[in-house]
């Protein structure tokens, strides 16, 4: 995965850790955490970010809430979210493959065009 403007950079992850406020922020409920995770996972480089860094970034995106009590939930949900993304990608690829197969069948079922005989000048 290439880093683009929508991806969180490693410096953003580091900044997220450094900017966690010292006041207690209430821990969000699980549906809110999952929703933020689904949005966040699309913006990070999954090849380089660790789970710990992801949780820090998630915490920063959720106002600095201490998510340590939700660590197990976040890990399992992250797996679910990534699996769902893989399934979407697989389904898109299958749809493309099916379209290609249909095009090939149509081409195979078409009658070849008759070639016109070239005039050789002989009669």
């Amino acid at each position: 995965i290439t880093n683009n403007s929508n991806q969180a950079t490693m410096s953003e992850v580091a900044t997220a850790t450094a900017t966690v406020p010292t006041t207690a922020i209430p821990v969000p409920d699980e549906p809110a955490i999952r929703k933020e995770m689904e949005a966040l996972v699309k913006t990070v480089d999954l090849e380089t970010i660790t789970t710990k860094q992801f949780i820090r970034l998630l915490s920063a995106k959720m106002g600095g809430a201490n998510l340590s009590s939700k660590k197990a939930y976040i890990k399992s949900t992250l797996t679910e979210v990534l699996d769902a993304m893989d399934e979407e990608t697989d389904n898109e690829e299958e749809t493309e493959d099916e379209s290609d197969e249909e095009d090939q069948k149509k081409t195979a079922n078409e009658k070849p065009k008759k070639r016109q005989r070239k005039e050789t000048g002989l009669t």
Side-chain angles (χ1 to χ4, degrees):
I1 298 174
T2 59
N3 193 7
N4 61 35
S5 60
N6 291 334
Q7 289 185 321
T9 63
M10 294 309 289
S11 63
E12 288 173 318
V13 172
T15 302
T17 303
T19 59
V20 174
T22 55
T23 58
I25 305 295
V27 177
D29 62 2
E30 291 179 356
I33 293 172
R34 184 180 181 104
K35 183 178 179 182
E36 191 63 42
M37 288 176 67
E38 289 172 347
L40 184 59
V41 78
K42 295 175 185 175
T43 67
V44 296
D45 184 351
L46 298 172
E47 297 294 324
T48 60
I49 194 166
T50 64
T51 303
K52 187 174 183 176
Q53 291 169 333
F54 182 84
I55 293 172
R56 286 181 186 159
L57 193 54
L58 179 64
S59 172
K61 295 284 185 182
M62 302 198 86
N66 182 350
L67 299 175
S68 60
S69 65
K70 298 289 185 180
K71 186 175 179 181
Y73 170 77
I74 292 169
K75 283 184 172 184
S76 66
T77 303
L78 185 57
T79 300
E80 290 174 14
V81 169
L82 294 174
D83 287 347
M85 289 174 63
D86 284 344
E87 285 179 21
E88 287 176 14
T89 302
D90 289 346
N91 289 340
E92 288 173 5
E93 289 175 358
E94 287 175 11
T95 302
E96 289 175 6
D97 289 344
E98 289 171 3
S99 294
D100 289 345
E101 288 175 11
E102 288 176 16
D103 289 346
Q104 289 174 355
K105 286 179 185 176
K106 287 179 185 176
T107 304
N109 290 335
E110 290 178 359
K111 293 181 181 178
K113 294 181 180 177
K114 292 183 179 179
R115 293 184 184 179
Q116 291 182 351
R117 182 180 291 178
K118 292 184 181 179
E119 291 189 23
T120 60
L122 299 173
T123 44

